[in-house]
Amino acid sequence: ELWLRRMVDHGVEPTEVTYGTMCKVLARKGLVREIQGVMDTIERKGLTLNEYFYASLISACGVAMPPNTQAAMRAFEDLVARGLRPQSVKKALERVVGQRQTAALFARLGSARRATPPATPA
């Protein structure tokens, strides 16, 4: 966080890439709440959350002590609800909740995503 504050103090505004890199580092340490805080900040600033942020969040849930499978499943549900690509976090989700639970989540939520018609250009 210190380096992020220094960036802003020097007039450099963080981008999605900056925040994404930060989330990846936090994920390796299992810092779920911190990643959620970064994601909240991103939305407050009007930036867009993407699959990479959710992959970091889900991965952090698996590294956390103890692992937080419920938070990983909630993150996946949120990703699907936002219309993002569930397939993009499948491997991370499998590492946290296992293949059987991931398959069940995909059957329940992933199919709902596929059933949504694509947006038509205006």
Side-chain angles (χ1 to χ4, degrees):
E1 261 186 52
L2 178 61
W3 62 270
L4 190 60
R5 269 188 257 131
R6 284 184 180 171
M7 281 179 61
V8 173
D9 289 347
H10 287 92
V12 178
E13 195 61 35
T15 66
E16 284 99 337
V17 173
T18 309
Y19 287 117
T21 302
M22 192 164 86
C23 286
K24 190 171 182 177
V25 170
L26 294 170
R28 290 182 180 152
K29 296 181 177 284
L31 300 173
V32 175
R33 283 193 185 133
E34 287 80 354
I35 294 172
Q36 289 169 329
V38 170
M39 291 171 74
D40 291 344
T41 298
I42 290 166
E43 289 196 302
R44 246 189 339 272
K45 290 181 173 267
L47 300 173
T48 304
L49 291 176
N50 59 38
E51 291 89 345
Y52 297 108
F53 294 105
Y54 284 94
S56 290
L57 179 57
I58 291 167
S59 293
C61 291
V63 175
M65 286 300 170
N68 191 339
T69 58
Q70 293 299 314
M73 290 188 287
R74 282 192 304 272
F76 180 74
E77 290 169 358
D78 188 44
L79 173 136
V80 172
R82 289 171 181 266
L84 298 173
R85 296 173 297 122
Q87 193 65 32
S88 64
V89 299
K90 186 175 182 181
K91 292 248 185 256
L93 191 61
E94 285 177 343
R95 284 191 295 271
V96 180
V97 302
Q99 288 182 343
R100 183 175 292 141
Q101 185 66 37
T102 297
L105 284 166
F106 266 76
R108 184 168 58 89
L109 298 170
S111 61
R113 164 77 164 95
R114 287 189 298 276
T116 305
T120 54

